[in-house]
Amino acid sequence: MDHPDLALKFFPPNVEAFLNGASRRFAQGASAGELGDIAHRATRLLSLHPGDARLYSVIGEVERRKGASDRAFAAFGHALALARTEVHALEWRLYRAVLTGNAYETLQRIDALFRRWPDRIGALAPLIAQVFAEPEPYEMLVRRIAAQPPWRTTLISRLAGSEETLGFSAQLLQDLAAEMPTLKVGEISNVLNGLINVDRYELAYRTFLLTLSPVQQEQAGFVYNGRFRLPPTGRPFDWQVRSHPGIGFSYPGADAGGKDAGLRLEFQQAPVRDIRVRQYLHLPAGRYSLRLRVSAAAAILPKGLFWNVRCADSGTLFTQVAMKNGTYRDAELDADLTVPDACLLQLLHLSTNAIAENWNDRYGGVVTFDSVMIVESS
């Protein structure tokens, strides 16, 4: 409503116009006289609309600005008795619960606020990390989030979006993983990517490991899921396999006979560059061997096909293994690499030497990677 004062002149009982006008005056820093006028009008409107919780919130805001905390508390409480999700009353009672150290009420108010007003999550996420930092309140928060409220994913995302609360979000994910059978891939990825973006690689990798399900934990190693027994999830430290022009990807996992099917690339008679198959690694400094088992059927690789291990920060290439053209089965390929102390995050990825798409360099056939492994070297 663009002109609430004009609307009130034509129809004084117009609650919406009054609320819009009061909000504007509050935002502009209402004077003591204006606060008295707002309270008077709200009280008069209550005689016509006694069940409108918003009017009690306006009165509560007036009393709060006048410094009458007890009267504000009573007015906001009445508003919440009429409508438990009245946003202004709910926020004020929430902040009061925080100030008084009432973790239980804080959690109740947060739950009600976030369910009805999820847009408030971003602003309150830093406050949550502070209020629930102590062990007992924190356990209450974990149990509430483990019950899967609708605001869980958004809260985790907002916590992961700030460097100040990233550590809290990682701890929360780790503890939730112990309480729940599964976490959403997006929840985990948001936190891991946030940690990687600020170079907290060790915490990112530890959080990845601690959020694996029992089935996923069986695939842990220097290369996670190196035999592609599980479909890639796209999380950091798991395989990220994205669709790519000219290639069809499949990874059906172990068949009924227990043989690993691996990662299958079917080339579609087109040029290929920027293959999007990769995994972040967290290898301690030392000497290693990259070992592959690969099969091919009529493979035509005019610009090559390579597995690479690089330093994720500097891009320094540690090793590269080239695939062969033609048809072969269960070929064993390997190459040594050394990870220096200065490189704390590595990238394992597939590539070609193609700089630009050239239809004279068309890839064809099928290449299947039965395993992509890294082992320590003596």
Side-chain angles (χ1 to χ4, degrees):
M1 189 171 294
D2 294 331
H3 303 285
D5 293 335
L6 183 61
L8 284 171
K9 286 183 179 179
F10 283 106
F11 186 59
N14 189 329
V15 174
E16 299 300 331
F18 166 74
L19 293 171
N20 285 332
S23 295
R24 288 189 180 185
R25 292 161 80 178
F26 285 145
Q28 293 166 1
S31 65
E34 289 177 313
L35 290 175
D37 179 62
I38 292 170
H40 176 70
R41 292 192 182 199
T43 302
R44 290 182 59 186
L45 284 171
L46 276 172
S47 65
L48 299 174
H49 307 279
D52 197 321
R54 298 172 298 173
L55 294 173
Y56 282 102
S57 272
V58 169
I59 294 173
E61 180 62 19
V62 169
E63 298 297 344
R64 186 190 72 80
R65 289 174 180 246
K66 289 164 61 177
S69 297
D70 290 342
R71 289 198 293 270
F73 185 83
F76 285 129
H78 202 131
L80 290 174
L82 292 170
R84 65 183 296 270
T85 58
E86 205 297 303
V87 62
H88 302 294
L90 192 54
E91 285 187 322
W92 191 85
R93 292 290 293 265
L94 169 59
Y95 283 114
R96 184 181 175 93
V98 170
L99 290 173
T100 58
N102 190 332
Y104 177 78
E105 183 182 355
T106 298
L107 189 54
Q108 297 301 105
R109 302 298 181 192
I110 283 173
D111 187 48
L113 182 67
F114 288 177
R115 286 176 185 271
R116 179 64 181 83
W117 306 98
D119 59 305
R120 300 301 206 269
I121 296 176
L124 291 171
L127 185 64
I128 290 171
Q130 297 172 23
V131 172
F132 296 97
E134 295 300 318
E136 187 173 346
Y138 177 75
E139 288 301 321
M140 291 170 51
L141 178 66
V142 170
R143 288 196 299 270
R144 179 60 60 90
I145 296 178
Q148 304 191 52
W151 43 267
R152 186 186 82 185
T153 298
T154 304
L155 174 62
I156 292 173
S157 174
R158 295 297 181 271
L159 289 169
S162 168
E163 190 168 352
E164 294 180 354
T165 54
L166 256 175
F168 186 85
S169 70
Q171 185 63 53
L172 191 59
L173 272 192
Q174 294 174 24
D175 292 328
L176 284 172
E179 295 278 338
M180 304 172 60
T182 58
L183 290 168
K184 295 180 181 178
V185 170
E187 294 171 344
I188 299 171
S189 293
N190 281 336
V191 174
L192 297 185
N193 282 319
L195 292 167
I196 289 171
N197 289 339
V198 297
D199 302 339
R200 299 182 69 176
Y201 305 135
E202 183 176 350
L203 180 56
Y205 188 63
R206 184 167 71 250
T207 302
F208 168 73
L209 292 177
L210 291 174
T211 53
L212 294 175
S213 69
V215 172
Q216 292 169 337
Q217 288 171 3
E218 296 174 1
Q219 307 305 318
F222 287 134
V223 177
Y224 174 74
N225 194 21
R227 293 185 173 86
F228 297 91
R229 288 177 174 167
L230 299 175
T233 65
R235 293 170 298 176
F237 305 109
D238 188 2
W239 292 111
Q240 299 175 48
V241 181
R242 301 181 183 178
S243 61
H244 188 287
I247 308 176
F249 297 108
S250 60
Y251 28 85
D255 60 21
K259 180 175 173 53
D260 299 330
L263 172 66
R264 187 174 186 269
L265 282 66
E266 184 172 355
F267 295 102
Q268 299 167 349
Q269 298 298 321
V272 171
R273 58 185 292 269
D274 297 332
I275 298 177
R276 298 166 189 173
V277 178
R278 69 178 195 171
Q279 179 179 144
Y280 281 121
L281 309 174
H282 185 57
L283 301 173
R287 299 176 59 192
Y288 300 89
S289 176
L290 172 63
R291 297 180 182 177
L292 313 172
R293 190 170 75 245
V294 57
S295 300
I300 302 173
L301 314 170
K303 287 292 182 177
L305 183 65
F306 312 92
W307 278 105
N308 313 274
V309 180
R310 299 179 180 274
C311 184
D313 287 331
S314 67
T316 302
L317 181 65
F318 294 146
T319 196
Q320 185 177 79
V321 180
M323 305 306 110
K324 299 180 292 184
N325 289 279
T327 298
Y328 46 90
R329 186 168 181 81
D330 296 332
E332 303 278 352
L333 305 175
D334 65 87
D336 293 331
L337 65 143
T338 299
V339 176
D341 291 330
C343 183
L344 302 178
L345 185 74
Q346 304 83 37
L347 183 65
L348 170 65
H349 68 102
L350 201 56
S351 72
T352 71
N353 277 334
I355 305 296
E357 291 188 356
N358 184 335
W359 284 87
N360 291 323
D361 298 322
R362 287 177 285 185
Y363 282 63
V366 175
V367 176
T368 301
F369 296 102
D370 298 311
S371 65
V372 181
M373 312 294 288
I374 289 178
V375 298
E376 288 185 285
S377 295
S378 55

